[in-house]
């Protein structure tokens, strides 16, 4: 690493800017993980980062506050800022009122409590309910089917090719993020009905 130096001219919005941002964020996260032992919960990483989206997991509000403070401090030292308007927190619990009484406030910035948020195209809810997510996935799958309906109803394509189109175009849209779903019999039935209709 080199000494700190001042920047007198800004960078143009080109390919270099996202790369520099990624370097700065990676450096910040590595510093926090080295300085804080609390970023693992039962051996699982508590900090999930994709592009500029950072998700922090914790076993308690206290742990989240402590780790968020460490991340905010390390970010400022690197020259990055946490945007309080875009920063949200959610408590996952079977109790519908969980988290409402807890607020996270760091450096005079209060982070909004939410019942759900979208992360990497998937809706995460505070009660870990996936009913709305499956409904959304099925709706997207129907729209996807309608966009390729001409191909699937064409007599020029073989049945095997139509099955390949279904498996490579429609099914991934419906099953996106399914690795994290805890299906009930009802949701499993809804998915099977979709498959039986279009397959």
């Amino acid at each position: 690493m080199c000494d700190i130096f001042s920047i007198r001219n800004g960078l143009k919005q080109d390919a270099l800017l996202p790369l520099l941002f990624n370097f700065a964020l990676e450096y910040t996260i590595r510093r926090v993980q080295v300085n804080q032992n609390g970023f693992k919960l039962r051996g699982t990483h508590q900090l999930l980062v994709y592009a500029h989206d950072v998700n922090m997991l914790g076993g308690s509000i206290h742990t989240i506050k402590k780790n968020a403070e460490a991340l905010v401090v390390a970010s400022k030292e690197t020259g990055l800022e946490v945007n309080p308007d875009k920063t949200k927190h959610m408590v996952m619990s079977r109790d519908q009122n969980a988290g409402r009484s807890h607020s996270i406030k760091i450096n005079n910035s209060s982070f909004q409590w939410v019942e759900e948020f979208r992360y990497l195209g998937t809706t995460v809810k505070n009660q870990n309910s996936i009913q709305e997510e499956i409904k959304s996935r099925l709706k997207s799958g129907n729209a996807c089917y309608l966009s390729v309906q001409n191909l699937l109803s064409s007599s020029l394509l073989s049945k095997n090719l139509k099955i390949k189109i279904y498996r490579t175009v429609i099914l991934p849209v419906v099953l996106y993020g399914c690795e994290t779903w805890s299906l009930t019999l009802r949701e499993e039935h809804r998915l099977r009905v979709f498959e039986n209709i279009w397959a």
Side-chain angles (χ1 to χ4, degrees), residues 49-92:
V49 182
Y50 182 81
H52 65 280
D53 291 332
V54 178
N55 286 291
M56 197 175 294
L57 309 173
S60 68
I61 291 287
H62 174 74
T63 302
I64 293 291
K65 283 182 182 179
K66 187 176 96 176
N67 291 341
E69 286 172 358
L71 185 62
V72 167
V73 168
S75 297
K76 282 192 177 187
E77 290 173 0
T78 309
L80 301 175
E81 284 188 35
V82 174
N83 185 340
D85 296 330
K86 292 184 177 180
T87 304
K88 318 255 185 269
H89 81 280
M90 180 175 75
V91 174
M92 293 186 81

Side-chain angles (χ1 to χ4, degrees), residues 68-127:
E69 286 172 358
L71 185 62
V72 167
V73 168
S75 297
K76 282 192 177 187
E77 290 173 0
T78 309
L80 301 175
E81 284 188 35
V82 174
N83 185 340
D85 296 330
K86 292 184 177 180
T87 304
K88 318 255 185 269
H89 81 280
M90 180 175 75
V91 174
M92 293 186 81
S93 174
R94 290 187 177 122
D95 178 12
Q96 289 185 351
N97 295 319
R100 291 180 194 255
S101 61
H102 299 287
S103 64
I104 295 181
K105 191 172 185 177
I106 299 171
N107 294 344
N108 298 325
S109 296
S110 187
F111 300 148
Q112 179 188 357
W113 175 82
V114 294
E115 292 183 5
E116 67 178 50
F117 68 93
R118 291 206 47 93
Y119 181 65
L120 301 180
T122 301
T123 302
V124 180
K125 293 186 156 265
N126 65 344
Q127 293 190 336

